[in-house]
Amino acid sequence: MRIDIITCVPNLLDSFFAHSILKRAQQGGFVEVMVHDIRDYSVNKHRTIDDYAFGGGAGMVLQIEPIAKCIRSLQQERDYDEIIYLTPDGELMQQHMVNQLSLKGNIIMLCGHYKGVDQRVRDMFVTKEVSIGDYVLSGGELAAAVLSDAIIRLLPGVLNDETSALTDSFQDNLLAPPVYTRPAEFEGHKVPDILMSGHEAKIEEWRYEQSIQRTRERRPDLLKP
Ligand code: 6GU
């Protein structure tokens, strides 16, 4: 998979992708992530990329020309399955959306800033609009990082047995059960006996029941059909 992220603050994302599982995923050749600075595609000598909104109102709007130039130069190299615009008025990101996107080959993620991008960018280029939740961030970069992380960890080979995505909260619409490690007792607080019993089938059953109980208590909405 290849992910190209278009942003006016590339530094914000560079360090994120240089660490942990995301670094290993790139080193292992499972994904290639490239971050592109919109300013490099500015069409004037002052390298400007935004301007005042037609019709007035506060806030600057990202212009179409640099973004169009950037997207088209990427499209010269390869076909893209999806051009995603990260925006608070997009479709709410959920695990099923992430699962679908993890099956794609090449994806562009466009990060908005200020008052957003010129509507014509959305009309002419964008194929999918995604929000990561009902709150407003100052830009789409953190949302692109969140979405990329969620996608990349699902790519075959990125996670090993120990970090397997199959037992995640949400992967089966249930929250994950509680987990414990050594010591078996800390200041009088003991690990549940069942986990020390070595009885695999009973442990699985216990975990499943804990998942149901936790979901019922914390996220009853997930249990509705
Ligand atoms: Cl994708 N962008 C911004 N700016 N704010 C958000 C968001 C995206 N999703 C939730 N809040």
Side-chain angles (χ1 to χ4, degrees), residues 85-90 92 112-113 130-141 143-144:
Y85 177 48
L86 283 312
T87 175
D89 59 1
L92 197 60
H113 239 259
V130 175
S131 161
I132 65 163
D134 290 339
Y135 40 79
V136 179
L137 304 169
S138 55
E141 287 73 21

Side-chain angles (χ1 to χ4, degrees), residues 31-84:
V31 65
E32 187 178 5
V33 181
M34 295 288 284
V35 179
H36 308 273
D37 187 348
I38 298 176
R39 213 167 281 281
D40 291 342
Y41 298 84
S42 169
V43 292
N44 62 55
K45 62 173 186 281
H46 308 290
R47 306 228 313 151
T48 58
I49 53 169
D50 57 359
D51 207 336
Y52 299 98
F54 278 127
M60 305 291 276
V61 177
L62 288 171
Q63 293 171 285
I64 191 169
E65 290 133 307
I67 294 171
K69 218 169 119 186
C70 181
I71 291 174
R72 285 181 173 144
S73 89
L74 290 171
Q75 284 174 325
Q76 297 243 303
E77 303 298 319
R78 68 193 68 74
D79 289 328
Y80 285 91
D81 303 297
E82 213 77 82
I83 300 181
I84 300 173

Side-chain angles (χ1 to χ4, degrees), residues 23-212:
K23 178 176 167 184
R24 259 199 290 131
Q26 290 176 88
Q27 285 174 340
F30 301 110
V31 65
E32 187 178 5
V33 181
M34 295 288 284
V35 179
H36 308 273
D37 187 348
I38 298 176
R39 213 167 281 281
D40 291 342
Y41 298 84
S42 169
V43 292
N44 62 55
K45 62 173 186 281
H46 308 290
R47 306 228 313 151
T48 58
I49 53 169
D50 57 359
D51 207 336
Y52 299 98
F54 278 127
M60 305 291 276
V61 177
L62 288 171
Q63 293 171 285
I64 191 169
E65 290 133 307
I67 294 171
K69 218 169 119 186
C70 181
I71 291 174
R72 285 181 173 144
S73 89
L74 290 171
Q75 284 174 325
Q76 297 243 303
E77 303 298 319
R78 68 193 68 74
D79 289 328
Y80 285 91
D81 303 297
E82 213 77 82
I83 300 181
I84 300 173
Y85 177 48
L86 283 312
T87 175
D89 59 1
E91 181 189 343
L92 197 60
M93 175 185 159
Q94 299 205 279
Q95 191 63 45
H96 65 83
M97 175 199 285
V98 177
N99 293 351
Q100 278 179 6
L101 289 173
S102 75
L103 303 172
K104 309 269 183 189
N106 303 318
I107 297 176
I108 288 176
M109 295 188 193
L110 171 63
C111 304
H113 239 259
Y114 319 112
K115 281 285 148 196
V117 300
D118 188 301
Q119 179 58 37
R120 290 167 294 184
V121 172
R122 301 167 74 162
D123 298 341
M124 293 175 66
F125 296 101
V126 170
T127 60
K128 187 175 184 70
E129 303 195 327
V130 175
S131 161
I132 65 163
D134 290 339
Y135 40 79
V136 179
L137 304 169
S138 55
E141 287 73 21
L142 287 174
V146 166
L147 182 57
S148 303
D149 182 300
I151 292 172
I152 291 168
R153 63 187 292 284
L154 294 181
L155 301 178
V158 169
L159 298 188
N160 50 37
D161 258 10
E162 276 154 44
T163 53
S164 165
L166 291 175
T167 54
D168 288 346
S169 282
F170 294 107
Q171 204 49 276
D172 50 10
N173 257 356
L174 289 177
L175 301 184
V179 294
Y180 299 86
T181 187
R182 278 186 287 253
E185 182 176 343
F186 178 73
E187 297 178 357
H189 293 257
K190 283 189 181 157
V191 173
D193 286 336
I194 180 77
L195 296 178
M196 322 293 274
S197 70
H199 197 307
E200 255 180 75
K202 285 226 166 98
I203 291 172
E204 268 324 289
E205 193 183 330
W206 179 85
R207 286 188 169 142
Y208 181 67
E209 274 159 15
Q210 291 289 313
S211 278
I212 303 265

